[in-house]
Amino acid sequence: MIRPENAAEVRQLELFATGSETTFLSFTETGFVQRFPRGMVLFRENEPADFLHVVLGGTVELFAGSDKRETTLDIVRPVGVFILAAVLNDEVYLQSARTLEPSDILMIPAEKVRAAMDTDPGFARAIVMELARSYRRTIKDLKGMKLRTGAERLANWLLRADKEQGGTGEIDIRIEKRTLASRLGMTPENLSRAFSTLRPHGIEIDGSRVEIVRPDALIAFAAPDPLVDDPEVSPPAGRPGR
Amino acid sequence: MIRPENAAEVRQLELFATGSETTFLSFTETGFVQRFPRGMVLFRENEPADFLHVVLGGTVELFAGSDKRETTLDIVRPVGVFILAAVLNDEVYLQSARTLEPSDILMIPAEKVRAAMDTDPGFARAIVMELARSYRRTIKDLKGMKLRTGAERLANWLLRADKEQGGTGEIDIRIEKRTLASRLGMTPENLSRAFSTLRPHGIEIDGSRVEIVRPDALIAFAAPDPLVDDPEVSPPAGRPGR
DNA sequence: CGTTTATTTGAAAACGCTCAAGCTCTGTGG
DNA sequence: CCACAGAGCTTGAGCGTTTTCAAATAAACG
């Protein structure tokens, strides 16, 4: 059962905004919100995808790999959905998930999602858009991994983080550096060195705070590319005229 | 205009199999098949996605990057769809496409696809499945890039190629090695060395033919993981009982 | 405080890339 | 049919990047 204040919030989410009331009700009736402590593993890769997850509060890390080698694939913050693809395909998870801080997670039974997709065209459309967006984000990640060095990925991550935090040039790394390193596809040691590499290119580091003191220098180093770095945005409400 | 023999073939494609006849007609009436010579660039990243592409014959390479650094993201063979996500989002392509050999490409106007998605629930469902599958394939690629060395990626590629070609242990690399190198995220020189690395692990190389002489040795080296290496299969016709 | 955990730094090794040269294969023109 | 040019592939050497291992430092937590 999901509480009213949460329901409104979730309904705002693009994925749920265009579906029918019936669809949404089937979710609120069977879905439930659960609060998890920090460091809790929500599920592991290779388990059957039984629930669609929505982050209402906190932070969730999606990761994969064995104990030997592990990598972070994504960081999900409110309000964000994750592992939609596995749920739709009725497949196992490709990624594991753990909370990085105490988090409120809405869990919707996978069969309800699949059923809604078949009965509610508006919801089906929203799913398509959400899927396509996530897919494109992942392709961008893959391009970044294959085309750039670690320091370049970090530089572009910083530029993006700055934008997301208001473009003040004052960035707060909101996750542990080890996690950031894993997200960027490198070791913690290497991230540390990447930061050092960037120092001559217009940044100053103080613990978990980074200041971009010469934006042009950082941009010159990062060479940001919209086709790699721009976040996938929600499609415009109407059909855009090109 | 699309010819009848092609139409039947395309209709077989899972993406088009469950849509209505009306939907399919709108595609065959406005779509067209074109034969391209080898090496032809079909479109470039950053161009607006005007057509959904279907490979009916030949081979298409999806790649990205600037002139300096370029990488192959996928190889598409008949019968395969590509750049579905860009079409649905009405966005620019994230990848460029070129033919690796003379190829027959079916091109369906993007607006027809988007329209069909809104009017034909069966087609919408097929799109969701296709998208989810491609998405998961890309995540697997990303995991492979982040978790494995070049030689390991090659070893697993060989195991997969062998399966696809009948499991005889005789593999025909059907693309140029330079392209394979790019697909696997390394330089041609490095691929050459990766092959040498694998020689003590049960393979013999002769030009574009590779023989797996000691499968167990190769498997031991590759340490294949279903969550990285298994191809995403079409979802079962009925709902699978778990 | 003292203990644990995260981060940084250093040194060595593994990995991957670049450059350059030699080799192989293929297709073409003589 | 042969010679040759061009493209692709391989090999070697050197270099830069990244990882690993180890240790020191800093920060977080009870």
Side-chain angles (χ1 to χ4, degrees):
Chain A
M1 225 30 178
I2 169 175
R3 285 181 303 176
E5 68 264 31
N6 282 335
E9 185 181 25
V10 173
R11 188 65 152 140
Q12 295 294 94
L13 235 193
E14 167 148 1
L15 180 59
F16 301 111
T18 59
S20 72
E21 194 57 34
T22 310
T23 296
F24 195 65
L25 268 179
S26 90
F27 292 163
T28 52
E29 277 167 4
T30 59
F32 51 94
V33 177
Q34 202 164 344
R35 183 169 196 87
F36 294 98
R38 173 197 155 119
M40 171 76 38
V41 172
L42 305 179
F43 52 81
R44 292 205 170 272
E45 46 182 321
N46 214 14
E47 291 173 5
D50 290 332
F51 294 96
L52 177 65
H53 292 62
V54 183
V55 185
L56 299 180
T59 313
V60 172
E61 174 192 13
L62 299 180
F63 64 102
S66 54
D67 296 330
K68 283 282 136 207
R69 317 185 214 177
E70 181 180 305
T71 191
T72 302
L73 293 160
D74 208 357
I75 307 284
V76 188
R77 292 209 165 80
V79 181
V81 191
F82 57 100
I83 45 103
L84 180 55
V87 165
L88 294 172
N89 268 4
D90 197 7
E91 265 284 359
V92 297
Y93 298 115
L94 288 183
Q95 312 167 64
S96 307
R98 79 165 69 95
T99 54
L100 294 182
E101 42 183 1
S103 304
D104 296 313
I105 310 294
L106 165 60
M107 298 169 74
I108 302 172
E111 61 265 29
K112 299 294 176 189
V113 177
R114 290 192 293 266
M117 179 184 73
D118 288 335
T119 57
D120 181 346
F123 182 62
R125 182 174 217 289
I127 279 189
V128 167
M129 290 307 159
E130 173 66 27
L131 260 188
R133 206 154 51 240
S134 302
Y135 181 20
R136 284 167 63 90
R137 264 215 322 276
T138 306
I139 288 181
K140 289 179 175 185
D141 261 2
L142 184 58
K143 285 171 66 173
M145 274 305 297
K146 292 181 83 173
L147 293 171
R148 300 217 260 233
T149 66
E152 288 171 336
R153 291 197 295 279
L154 173 59
N156 281 293
W157 185 89
L158 287 172
L159 290 173
R160 158 100 83 113
D162 181 41
K163 258 188 215 137
E164 286 174 1
Q165 294 181 24
T168 61
E170 295 270 352
I171 303 160
D172 179 17
I173 306 174
R174 297 186 292 166
I175 52 181
E176 290 187 358
K177 284 187 181 169
R178 43 151 58 205
T179 309
L180 175 58
S182 180
R183 173 73 243 264
L184 293 176
M186 59 182 104
T187 58
E189 296 96 322
N190 215 346
L191 175 65
S192 209
R193 287 168 185 128
F195 271 119
S196 302
T197 304
L198 292 188
R199 238 183 288 254
H201 296 281
I203 74 167
E204 278 169 17
I205 310 120
D206 174 29
S208 70
R209 304 200 59 83
V210 179
E211 189 180 351
I212 303 179
V213 290
R214 285 180 291 124
D216 38 321
L218 185 59
I219 289 171
F221 180 91
D225 174 353
L227 300 185
V228 177
D229 304 293
D230 280 9
E232 283 293 323
V233 290
S234 301
R239 201 57 66 62
R242 195 152 48 236
Chain B
M1 224 31 177
I2 167 175
R3 284 182 303 178
E5 68 263 31
N6 283 334
E9 185 181 26
V10 174
R11 189 64 150 140
Q12 295 296 92
L13 235 192
E14 165 148 2
L15 180 59
F16 301 112
T18 59
S20 72
E21 194 58 35
T22 311
T23 296
F24 195 65
L25 268 179
S26 89
F27 292 163
T28 52
E29 277 167 3
T30 59
F32 52 93
V33 177
Q34 203 164 343
R35 182 169 195 85
F36 294 98
R38 174 196 152 118
M40 172 76 37
V41 172
L42 303 179
F43 54 80
R44 292 204 168 275
E45 47 182 319
N46 213 16
E47 291 173 3
D50 290 331
F51 294 96
L52 178 65
H53 292 59
V54 184
V55 186
L56 299 179
T59 313
V60 172
E61 175 192 15
L62 299 181
F63 64 102
S66 55
D67 296 329
K68 283 280 137 210
R69 316 186 215 176
E70 182 181 303
T71 191
T72 302
L73 293 161
D74 208 356
I75 308 283
V76 188
R77 292 209 165 79
V79 180
V81 191
F82 56 99
I83 45 101
L84 181 54
V87 164
L88 294 173
N89 268 4
D90 196 7
E91 263 286 357
V92 297
Y93 298 115
L94 288 183
Q95 313 169 62
S96 307
R98 79 164 70 94
T99 54
L100 294 183
E101 42 183 1
S103 303
D104 296 314
I105 310 293
L106 165 61
M107 298 169 72
I108 302 172
E111 62 265 29
K112 299 292 176 189
V113 177
R114 290 192 292 266
M117 179 184 73
D118 288 335
T119 58
D120 181 346
F123 182 62
R125 182 174 216 289
I127 278 189
V128 167
M129 290 307 158
E130 172 66 27
L131 261 187
R133 206 153 52 239
S134 302
Y135 180 21
R136 284 167 63 89
R137 264 215 322 277
T138 305
I139 289 181
K140 289 180 175 187
D141 261 1
L142 183 58
K143 285 170 67 172
M145 274 304 298
K146 292 181 83 173
L147 293 171
R148 299 217 260 233
T149 66
E152 287 169 337
R153 291 196 295 278
L154 173 59
N156 282 292
W157 185 90
L158 287 172
L159 289 172
R160 158 102 82 115
D162 180 42
K163 259 189 215 136
E164 285 172 2
Q165 295 180 23
T168 61
E170 296 270 352
I171 303 161
D172 179 16
I173 306 174
R174 297 187 292 168
I175 52 181
E176 291 187 357
K177 284 186 180 169
R178 43 150 63 211
T179 308
L180 175 58
S182 180
R183 174 73 243 264
L184 294 176
M186 58 182 105
T187 59
E189 296 95 323
N190 220 322
L191 175 64
S192 215
R193 287 171 185 126
F195 271 119
S196 302
T197 304
L198 292 188
R199 237 183 289 253
H201 296 281
I203 74 167
E204 279 169 17
I205 309 121
D206 174 30
S208 70
R209 304 200 58 82
V210 180
E211 189 180 351
I212 303 179
V213 290
R214 284 181 292 124
D216 36 322
L218 186 59
I219 289 170
F221 180 91
D225 173 355
L227 299 185
V228 177
D229 304 293
D230 280 9
E232 283 295 323
V233 291
S234 301
R239 202 58 66 63
R242 193 151 50 235

